[in-house]
Amino acid sequence: MDQARLHDVVENLDRMEELGVAALALDAEDRTIRWNDGFLALFPEHAGRIHRGEPYAENLRRFYRGRLDAAEMALIERYVAEGVERHHRQVAPFEFLHHSQWLRAEVLPLPGGGRLRFWSRAAPARGGDVLATVMVASGKRVSAEALDQTADGLMVHDAEGRIVMANRPFAKLYGLDGPGEAIGRRFSDVLERAWAGAGDAREARQRWAENSRFPGAPFELPLPGDRWVRVREHRTYDGSWIGTHVDVTDLCRMQQSLAEARHRAEELARMLSAEMQERKRAEAQMVQTARLISLGQMATGLAHELNQPLAIMALAADNAILELQRRGPESIPAALKRLESIASSSIRARGVVDHLRLFGREDGTPASAEPVELALVVKGALLLAEAAIRSAGIALHVSLPDPPARVMGQMIPLEQVLLNLLLNARDAVQASGRPAGAIHLSVRRAEGEVVLTVADNGTGFSPAALARALEPFFTTKEAGKGTGLGLSLAYSTIRAMAGTMTLANADGGAVVRITLPELA
């Protein structure tokens, strides 16, 4: 992703924070991509700990460690697994209490399988609705003192629409001197008075007329000064209505901000999707580049591998022609043997060329994992690399288990990994100047796993290489002789197959050890 697009993504996350929205972006494998400071403000337990590439499950573990008591800690892994599953399946917002405040959690799918999670503060449950529900259920009206104890506006009107009871918060919302000023009036008259001299009350009156006849359904009324009131009408058994009136100006503004945040989140999702696609294309291009570089490094050895059968074919053909010219029909049996030699050598040459074509072919759709016999991976890699190693005067020792070990993976990527390790070992041995250079390639079983090891007696890994050799573009080779992609791509390939790759030094040389789950 270029710097301009990166800046846009970060800026969008920051703008969401300005709107009071915390954001966390996760890729298709539930690994952290980015977050904003608002996320750390709402969830301070992650400050200084969250990092790019961190699994969402680890994020959830920190979250639950701050919420669970000692008795519940035994269930933390179950809660984490449920949280990851909820992350995958969530389509609707939900609210929860965290650090004494209600939060609203939402999710936005990212093309390519990732998800963008964002949180905002939610309004707490209102006391007025609770009191109105009690009044409806009991069929009783309460005293003015009891009505004034709630912070929400409350008013009761009869079946004809005349207000018979109201509290002080109601009077304050609509600019009345006190509750008594509302008694005997219709609520539409109260609205007219609130809007007097401040604008047109038609929208407010229309909203009231259209929505007030539906009991229990909340709706918003506009008031002067860009204020908003949420109204919910409750009908009693005798035909009276009890209405709760709540100032939701801040909430409406927050909803407007959330709508803007959602729009920006969608823009961010598109940018993240483009970034992921660009990263996939770049990775595929790097893989192809590394393959072609490997083929270039083996050019001399491959030329020898092809020249040998071609020379045999040419010599056999010349001898067959000479025999036929000198002895005529009597030489046909000898000529046939030479033709068989030509055929055998051509098959050998064709095998090398076919494998070169397969190895160097640019991948289209990524192949799915399948059972792979490591002996065949070793055979393919040696077909391309053995001549280059032996032509450098380096001894090659190979040890394979019987019966052959199998893993789940992809043949060509595994072969590329092994080929890269063999060529690195060859370069290291050549650089050391040892007169008896050697490379040891072994495959062995170990408690349900398969361990593939490439060891050499070259110069070994430097401390810097041991620390950073698996990073992209890190190389200790001279300029023009190394891209720094080989070990990084090998590491990514092995991780994608649920394996591990470690680097070490032994007996003065380098040791690279790959461990993969064995396929029974």
Side-chain angles (χ1 to χ4, degrees), residues 72-134:
E72 286 185 298
M73 280 300 292
L75 303 175
I76 187 171
E77 290 305 319
R78 190 186 83 183
Y79 294 154
V80 168
E82 290 173 351
V84 172
E85 182 68 15
R86 183 168 56 249
H87 168 68
H88 292 158
R89 295 180 178 275
Q90 182 183 347
V91 293
F94 68 89
E95 295 180 0
F96 63 99
L97 188 64
H98 185 60
H99 293 313
S100 302
Q101 61 183 339
W102 283 95
L103 300 181
R104 180 182 177 88
E106 300 184 63
V107 66
L108 185 68
L110 300 176
R115 307 205 103 191
L116 178 67
R117 301 194 66 82
F118 49 100
W119 298 261
S120 57
R121 290 176 175 84
R126 306 299 303 196
D129 283 330
V130 175
L131 180 58
T133 302
V134 171

Side-chain angles (χ1 to χ4, degrees), residues 74 140 333 367 442 467:
K140 297 178 181 178
S442 66

Side-chain angles (χ1 to χ4, degrees), residues 49-64:
R49 295 180 177 88
I50 189 171
H51 57 87
R52 291 188 66 174
E54 179 184 57
Y56 184 49
E58 189 59 35
N59 182 297
L60 288 171
R61 285 189 189 93
R62 277 197 301 271
F63 173 79
Y64 282 118

Side-chain angles (χ1 to χ4, degrees), residues 9 65 69 182 184 215 235-236 257 267 301 344 416 436 455 467:
V9 171
R65 287 189 192 110
D69 56 28
R235 185 161 54 188
T236 67
S257 296
E267 291 181 352
S344 175
Q416 182 177 358

Side-chain angles (χ1 to χ4, degrees), residues 330-346:
E330 295 180 7
S331 64
I332 290 178
L336 288 175
K337 289 183 180 181
R338 290 187 171 89
L339 289 174
E340 289 174 0
S341 176
I342 292 172
S344 175
S345 296
S346 67

Side-chain angles (χ1 to χ4, degrees), residues 408-480:
M408 284 297 291
Q410 291 127 27
M411 175 75 75
I412 294 301
L414 275 172
E415 187 177 313
Q416 182 177 358
V417 168
L418 181 55
L419 184 62
N420 180 266
L421 298 183
L422 290 171
L423 293 177
N424 281 351
R426 179 203 65 176
D427 294 343
V429 172
Q430 283 184 311
S432 72
R434 294 182 186 273
I439 297 173
H440 295 265
L441 165 60
S442 66
V443 177
R444 62 180 177 84
R445 292 184 172 86
E447 299 180 354
E449 295 180 324
V450 180
V451 181
L452 187 153
T453 305
V454 176
D456 63 64
N457 63 350
T459 56
F461 290 110
S462 67
L466 283 174
R468 299 184 55 202
L470 299 182
E471 297 177 10
F473 305 110
F474 177 83
T475 181
T476 58
K477 296 179 181 180
E478 298 176 12

Side-chain angles (χ1 to χ4, degrees), residues 184-416:
R185 290 186 172 187
R186 297 182 182 276
F187 180 68
S188 56
D189 297 333
V190 173
L191 278 177
E192 286 285 357
R193 187 186 186 289
W195 277 94
D200 194 341
R202 280 181 296 180
E203 181 184 354
R205 288 201 314 270
Q206 184 177 355
R207 282 174 175 258
W208 167 256
E210 291 176 351
N211 295 284
S212 60
R213 62 181 183 273
F214 301 111
F219 58 95
E220 282 78 38
L221 294 177
L223 289 179
D226 194 26
R227 294 184 298 124
W228 290 85
V229 174
R230 176 167 293 170
V231 180
R232 190 193 303 265
E233 290 281 285
H234 307 264
R235 185 161 54 188
T236 67
Y237 71 96
D238 63 355
S240 298
W241 294 78
I242 303 170
T244 57
H245 296 245
V246 181
D247 188 338
V248 292
T249 300
D250 290 340
L251 180 61
C252 287
R253 289 172 181 170
M254 183 183 297
Q255 288 174 338
Q256 292 173 354
S257 296
L258 285 175
E260 182 180 349
R262 176 173 285 275
H263 174 69
R264 289 178 178 173
E266 290 171 350
E267 291 181 352
L268 175 62
R270 286 192 290 270
M271 284 189 285
L272 288 174
S273 174
E275 177 189 3
M276 291 176 186
Q277 295 299 323
E278 183 178 330
R279 184 180 300 170
K280 287 180 181 178
R281 287 193 295 270
E283 287 176 353
Q285 187 175 2
M286 284 193 296
V287 168
Q288 184 64 15
T289 299
R291 288 184 189 174
L292 295 177
I293 289 173
S294 297
L295 291 177
Q297 291 174 336
M298 296 180 298
T300 302
L302 287 171
H304 174 76
E305 190 72 12
L306 288 172
N307 280 334
Q308 188 175 15
L310 290 174
I312 293 173
M313 292 165 62
L315 181 61
D318 289 342
N319 288 336
I321 292 171
L322 289 173
E323 285 287 336
L324 288 171
Q325 289 176 341
R326 291 174 182 174
R327 300 172 56 195
E330 295 180 7
S331 64
I332 290 178
L336 288 175
K337 289 183 180 181
R338 290 187 171 89
L339 289 174
E340 289 174 0
S341 176
I342 292 172
S344 175
S345 296
S346 67
I347 291 173
R348 177 184 172 188
R350 185 176 64 188
V352 174
V353 172
D354 287 347
H355 201 74
L356 277 172
R357 186 184 297 114
L358 179 65
F359 185 83
R361 184 179 60 193
E362 186 171 355
D363 293 333
T365 304
S368 56
E370 59 184 3
V372 175
E373 192 174 297
L374 284 184
L376 297 179
V377 173
V378 172
K379 179 181 178 181
L382 292 182
L383 180 64
L384 299 178
E386 186 173 10
I389 292 171
R390 298 198 186 281
S391 65
I394 300 170
L396 178 62
H397 306 280
V398 180
S399 175
L400 299 175
D402 187 19
R406 299 193 308 159
V407 299
M408 284 297 291
Q410 291 127 27
M411 175 75 75
I412 294 301
L414 275 172
E415 187 177 313
Q416 182 177 358

